[in-house]
Amino acid sequence: MSGTKEEDRKGSSDWREFFWNPRTHELMGRTASSWGLILLFYLVFYLFLAGMFVLTMYIMLLTLDDYKPTWQDRLATPGMMIRPKGDQLEISFSVSDTESWDGFIQNLNTFLSPYNDSYQVQTNDNCPPDQYFIQEDSGEVRNNPKRSCQFNRTMLGDCSGIMDRFYGYNRGQPCILIKLNRVIGMLPGKDSQSPYVTCGAKREESEKIGPLAYFPPNGTFNLMYYPYYGKKAQVNYTQPLVAVKFLNASLNTDINVECKINSNTLADGSERDKFAGRVSFKLRINDK
């Protein structure tokens, strides 16, 4: 027993001596000067790393432009989106149940509020159609803020929410708005031919979709809304829209609809994204 106690005391003494040795004035095996040199080394080392990081960020920021991306890795054909926003790109409602489509109406009203004619007249220009609205900078002198062309809500006709405040949902003739994603500097047409939207159903469902009406006429994204110069340079830019109205779609059945952009400069789809330049959604209109 006594041997065990002596060993415990010796082990405890060795541990205390390792932590602080009063004879050599060492803390955890190192003198104060040794600890000081280590701390100085790591201080200089991490300050050097921080300095390298700051210098790298500074050099990178010097290559960036506040108004135009220096490097632009994008698909050859931009994507498309629809409004109103449904659950997972699904527009399903019952004509007789106002609560089933009231949310769609509110979503469309909110989305279209910046397109009101009175607001567009105040903020944007009345541009000549079928030609690009080019606003180049003059050397190092920036032509900012750049002007934008009017896209008036009334251009959406029966789908503007003005003549029909329910956008046709109360009659089973819903309106779907389509927009093309913004891409800085994109020129989506040539020879005064604007890109346009076409919609259809899958081959086995082609009879279900019925006739369609497009607004503006022919479902075009007019060239005057391009090129887009970026949110900071073109603060009042109003994205053009195309409205599709389903005039006599079959009731009580799912219709898989695909809308795509047609252009003489944009590629039809992409190897990187087969849904580039198109959008698919499910439409279901119930009568009860």
Side-chain angles (χ1 to χ4, degrees):
M1 284 293 290
S2 60
T4 303
K5 290 181 179 180
E6 289 179 359
E7 290 176 358
D8 291 342
R9 284 196 297 270
K10 184 178 180 181
S12 177
S13 175
D14 291 343
W15 170 251
R16 286 196 299 269
E17 188 171 316
F18 168 75
F19 186 78
W20 171 248
N21 190 327
R23 291 180 289 102
T24 59
H25 297 89
E26 292 179 347
L27 177 66
M28 300 181 69
R30 292 185 179 274
T31 62
S33 59
S34 177
W35 279 113
L37 290 174
I38 290 177
L39 293 176
L40 179 62
F41 168 79
Y42 280 107
L43 177 63
V44 173
F45 177 69
Y46 285 113
L47 284 176
F48 173 76
L49 291 181
M52 287 292 294
F53 175 77
V54 171
L55 180 62
T56 302
M57 291 297 295
Y58 175 74
I59 294 174
M60 184 191 70
L61 290 174
L62 289 178
T63 66
L64 300 181
D65 191 313
D66 289 340
Y67 296 95
K68 183 179 180 180
T70 305
W71 307 105
Q72 193 169 352
D73 181 20
R74 63 174 176 82
L75 296 172
T77 304
M80 301 173 72
M81 284 300 296
I82 65 169
R83 292 292 187 276
K85 288 183 177 180
D87 184 20
Q88 296 181 351
L89 292 178
E90 181 174 347
I91 307 296
S92 177
F93 66 96
S94 176
V95 176
S96 59
D97 182 9
T98 58
E99 292 185 359
S100 67
W101 46 263
D102 184 64
F104 296 144
I105 304 306
Q106 294 180 20
N107 186 281
L108 288 172
N109 285 334
T110 301
F111 178 72
L112 288 176
S113 59
Y115 292 86
N116 289 334
D117 291 23
S118 57
Y119 179 77
Q120 288 293 312
V121 169
Q122 293 176 4
T123 57
N124 293 334
D125 295 357
N126 186 15
C127 304
D130 303 324
Q131 62 184 40
Y132 290 124
F133 190 23
I134 304 294
Q135 304 172 76
E136 295 292 350
D137 297 330
S138 179
E140 295 184 358
V141 180
R142 296 188 181 277
N143 180 22
N144 292 329
K146 301 184 186 300
R147 295 172 295 158
S148 302
C149 297
Q150 296 178 18
F151 188 97
N152 296 313
R153 186 169 177 172
T154 50
M155 296 170 63
L156 297 176
D158 293 343
C159 293
S160 64
I162 298 175
M163 294 176 286
D164 178 7
R165 63 190 183 96
F166 297 124
Y167 301 91
Y169 283 79
N170 61 329
R171 300 192 306 274
Q173 298 179 331
C175 289
I176 305 295
L177 305 183
I178 300 173
K179 64 174 184 174
L180 196 63
N181 290 347
R182 302 180 185 186
V183 177
I184 294 177
M186 181 183 69
L187 301 175
K190 63 181 180 180
D191 301 328
S192 299
Q193 296 182 19
S194 299
Y196 61 94
V197 172
T198 54
C199 297
K202 290 185 177 180
R203 184 173 302 175
E204 61 272 18
E205 300 175 355
S206 57
E207 296 181 357
K208 298 180 182 179
I209 195 171
L212 305 174
Y214 296 93
F215 306 94
N218 302 318
T220 59
F221 293 112
N222 201 279
L223 296 181
M224 64 181 174
Y225 301 107
Y226 303 96
Y228 172 59
Y229 289 98
K231 187 175 182 180
K232 192 169 183 179
Q234 206 170 5
V235 293
N236 291 324
Y237 180 76
T238 304
Q239 199 165 357
L241 305 171
V242 167
V244 182
K245 188 176 183 67
F246 295 82
L247 300 177
N248 191 25
S250 298
L251 303 178
N252 306 312
T253 184
D254 292 341
I255 306 174
N256 292 296
V257 182
E258 181 181 88
C259 298
K260 66 176 184 177
I261 188 71
N262 301 274
S263 167
N264 55 13
T265 60
L266 300 178
D268 186 13
S270 169
E271 294 182 356
R272 294 168 56 187
D273 185 356
K274 64 180 180 179
F275 293 106
R278 63 188 65 207
V279 60
S280 299
F281 59 95
K282 182 185 293 184
L283 176 67
R284 183 181 181 92
I285 307 173
N286 297 318
D287 58 353
K288 293 182 181 180

